[in-house]
């Protein structure tokens, strides 16, 4: 069992930056691929980024490529999402998730955090 807790969300102006963190419980964190998803009001949950267990390979959704960066520190059981050049359309609740493979599909992730709100003002 893995428990995930996100932090780092908040209010930021367009063009600014935020760094989200997701702390995981359990000693097997390195065995899990990790992903970040987001969900805006009235919209489906959207893939943002994912990373392999070793951190050697990462993937990004088209809307965040070149602006967001996912990373992890297995020694700290933590995965991060660095968000730069934020836009109003990035406003959403951001969730981290753990799964076997770093896919873009929510159904492939077994463990989810409670989410953290990111609001970008224009």
């Amino acid at each position: 069992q893995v428990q995930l807790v996100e932090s780092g969300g908040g209010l930021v102006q367009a063009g600014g930056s935020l760094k989200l963190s997701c702390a995981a419980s359990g000693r097997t964190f390195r065995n899990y691929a990790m992903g970040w998803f987001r969900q805006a009001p009235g919209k489906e949950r959207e893939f943002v980024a994912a990373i392999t267990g070793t951190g050697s390979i990462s993937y990004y959704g088209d809307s965040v490529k070149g602006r967001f960066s996912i990373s992890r520190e297995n020694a700290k059981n933590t995965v991060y999402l660095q968000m730069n050049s934020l836009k109003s359309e990035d406003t959403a609740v951001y969730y981290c998730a753990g799964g076997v493979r770093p896919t873009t599909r929510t159904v492939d992730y077994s463990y989810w955090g409670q989410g953290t709100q990111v609001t970008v003002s224009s």
Side-chain angles (χ1 to χ4, degrees):
Q1 192 77 353
V2 176
Q3 292 184 324
L4 304 173
V5 178
E6 302 97 335
S7 61
L11 175 64
V12 63
Q13 288 188 333
S17 299
L18 275 178
K19 186 173 184 177
L20 305 183
S21 299
C22 174
S25 65
R27 294 176 292 177
T28 59
F29 176 70
R30 67 181 65 249
N31 293 342
Y32 291 93
M34 298 298 295
W36 285 97
F37 291 78
R38 67 187 182 186
Q39 189 165 20
K43 295 188 176 181
E44 293 187 352
R45 197 164 292 192
E46 174 191 17
F47 171 73
V48 175
I51 191 167
T52 55
T54 61
S56 60
I57 304 174
S58 56
Y59 306 89
Y60 297 92
D62 289 341
S63 61
V64 306
K65 280 181 183 175
R67 299 188 298 122
F68 290 12
S69 177
I70 188 171
S71 61
R72 65 190 296 163
E73 286 189 77
N74 286 341
K76 294 185 178 181
N77 279 14
T78 303
V79 62
Y80 305 98
L81 184 69
Q82 176 67 47
M83 305 185 294
N84 299 327
S85 301
L86 283 161
K87 306 174 181 179
S88 57
E89 50 263 45
D90 294 318
T91 295
V93 177
Y94 283 71
Y95 299 90
C96 71
V100 175
R101 292 178 300 277
T103 77
T104 64
R105 307 192 311 165
T106 58
V107 295
D108 291 328
Y109 292 84
S110 301
Y111 304 104
W112 291 85
Q114 82 290 349
T116 186
Q117 176 71 46
V118 172
T119 302
V120 183
S121 63
S122 56

